[in-house]
Amino acid sequence: MLATPDKILEIKDLHVKFETGRSTAYALNGVNLSINRGEALGLVGESGAGKTTTALSVLNLVPQPAGKITKGEIYFEGKSVLDMKTKELMDMRGDKVAMIFQNPLTSLNPVFTVGEQIAMVLRKHKKLKRKVALQEASKLLEVVGIPGSRIHDFPHQFSGGMRQRVGIAAALACDPSLLIADEPTTALDVTIQAQILELMKELLRKYDSSLLMITHNLGIIAEICQRVAVMYAGSIVEYGTVREVFFNPRHRYTVGLFGSIPKLTGPRERLANIPGQVVNPENLPTGCAFHPRCEWCVDACKIQSPEMIQVSENHFVACHNMAGGNQND
């Protein structure tokens, strides 16, 4: 099966499991995603939904030996990631595909200066001499709003927001075609979050990169993405443009996510909650994984996993009872 030429990334029927001596956790269960060139796609869901595992799979970095991709295909720029040799993967990571991690403190090495860490990326992929690489690292710090003279400082000398800017500078060092951001603002206060998001939007326009934004914050998705995929228990349950999914959610889980967001205007109301608990990936229910928590559940939900149905040109939902959802919306 070949990838579509205009798509920079395609994930098809991806399954990932983690095995320990006593149990097996089914982290991803048939994930299908695609990102067009120059597009920002948001991947949203609760903790444990499989968002980070999806990102690591794109880089073929699922932790081994416990983790294993058991089925599916991943294509980057038309090439199968899962068929790439070690050298091809090493060349791709950090060069064509770069990742911004959730915790900027743990993603930076405390014993190297930030300049050296950015320069390492440039020396590896651009084959620059150390002096030239450090000069380029200084320029990259300037791009993300940090004085270039701070290339000789260590990570602990920066605030959380500044460390995240360093991480963004390192990720953008080689002008990647695809940028993966895994909860890049979670550890930051709201003011710094806004600054980082504005910076990312500006840099995406400047470098014309595609983006996979992983978050549980729907506000971030609305701010920076064109399309959004909602993930639950290792599967995509709703997928479409931000406008369609936000203004006409068709899956009960998506409706529940929006119902849990506080409103800034109007009368004070108790926040809606999704009943029950997130399913255990070691003991997934039969049929639709969400059916034990779903108010729209019908008999088919308990027996058969729903197929992804197209409800409009750019809106897809995996649900047996969308009509019941609209009536109760």
Side-chain angles (χ1 to χ4, degrees):
M1 190 179 294
L2 297 177
T4 307
D6 62 338
K7 298 185 184 300
I8 194 168
L9 177 70
E10 284 191 273
I11 301 174
K12 300 181 178 183
D13 195 28
L14 185 64
H15 291 71
V16 176
K17 67 179 181 180
F18 290 87
E19 291 183 326
T20 62
R22 298 181 179 179
S23 63
T24 300
Y26 297 91
L28 299 183
N29 305 291
V31 170
N32 291 279
L33 281 179
S34 66
I35 301 178
N36 297 320
R37 294 184 183 277
E39 179 184 52
L41 171 72
L43 185 58
V44 65
E46 295 170 285
S47 297
K51 305 186 298 297
T52 298
T53 301
T54 301
L56 293 176
S57 298
V58 171
L59 295 167
N60 205 356
L61 284 175
V62 175
Q64 296 180 342
K68 184 179 181 182
I69 296 175
T70 58
K71 184 181 178 183
E73 298 166 291
I74 303 171
Y75 291 98
F76 173 72
E77 293 186 333
K79 296 181 179 180
S80 172
V81 173
L82 303 183
D83 290 338
M84 287 182 181
K85 305 297 184 184
T86 302
K87 184 179 185 306
E88 289 181 282
L89 285 170
M90 295 296 288
D91 289 342
M92 179 187 75
R93 297 166 185 160
D95 183 14
K96 295 182 178 180
V97 183
M99 191 162 177
I100 303 170
F101 293 93
Q102 178 174 348
N103 190 329
L105 182 58
T106 58
S107 62
L108 294 172
N109 193 321
V111 301
F112 291 101
T113 66
V114 297
E116 288 173 323
Q117 294 185 60
I118 298 172
M120 285 177 190
V121 180
L122 294 164
R123 294 176 68 187
K124 159 71 178 172
H125 296 292
K126 298 296 186 182
K127 310 303 180 185
L128 300 181
K129 299 293 185 181
R130 183 176 182 274
K131 183 177 180 180
V132 177
L134 284 172
Q135 291 172 346
E136 290 299 314
S138 176
K139 294 177 183 177
L140 283 163
L141 287 182
E142 296 280 356
V143 167
V144 298
I146 298 175
S149 58
R150 298 201 65 183
I151 57 171
H152 303 295
D153 289 348
F154 290 86
H156 73 270
Q157 295 175 276
F158 292 81
S159 65
M162 287 293 192
R163 283 194 290 263
Q164 194 60 287
R165 289 172 183 263
V166 172
I168 293 171
L172 292 171
C174 296
D175 302 340
S177 303
L178 175 63
L179 187 62
I180 301 174
D182 187 6
E183 304 272 13
T185 62
T186 296
L188 311 176
D189 65 55
V190 290
T191 304
I192 303 301
Q193 280 186 26
Q195 293 175 3
I196 293 296
L197 289 176
E198 283 300 316
L199 174 64
M200 289 186 67
K201 286 197 294 184
E202 178 184 338
L203 293 175
L204 285 171
R205 287 192 296 267
K206 179 178 179 179
Y207 290 93
D208 195 30
S209 297
S210 301
L211 172 68
L212 175 59
M213 170 63 78
I214 297 170
T215 183
H216 61 270
N217 188 325
L218 293 166
I220 290 175
I221 299 296
E223 181 75 18
I224 205 169
C225 298
Q226 289 86 48
R227 285 195 299 154
V228 59
V230 182
M231 177 173 266
Y232 182 79
S235 298
I236 304 299
V237 297
E238 190 156 3
Y239 187 52
T241 64
V242 168
R243 175 171 290 276
E244 288 187 274
V245 174
F246 276 48
F247 288 98
N248 187 28
R250 302 294 296 274
H251 195 281
R252 184 65 187 89
Y253 178 62
T254 312
V255 172
L257 290 179
F258 283 109
S260 65
I261 300 174
K263 294 179 174 60
L264 297 179
T265 59
R268 299 169 101 192
E269 297 177 356
R270 181 179 292 274
L271 294 179
N273 70 304
I274 302 173
Q277 298 179 341
V278 180
V279 296
N280 184 350
E282 297 177 7
N283 186 27
L284 294 173
T286 58
C288 173
F290 188 65
H291 89 255
R293 308 176 67 188
C294 184
E295 299 170 359
W296 305 343
C297 179
V298 295
D299 289 342
C301 304
K302 303 174 184 178
I303 302 169
Q304 183 180 358
S305 180
E307 297 290 331
M308 191 67 79
I309 301 169
Q310 186 171 5
V311 295
S312 69
E313 183 180 357
N314 298 301
H315 194 176
F316 302 83
V317 183
C319 184
H320 288 302
N321 189 31
M322 286 183 293
N326 289 336
Q327 291 166 9
N328 290 282
D329 210 345

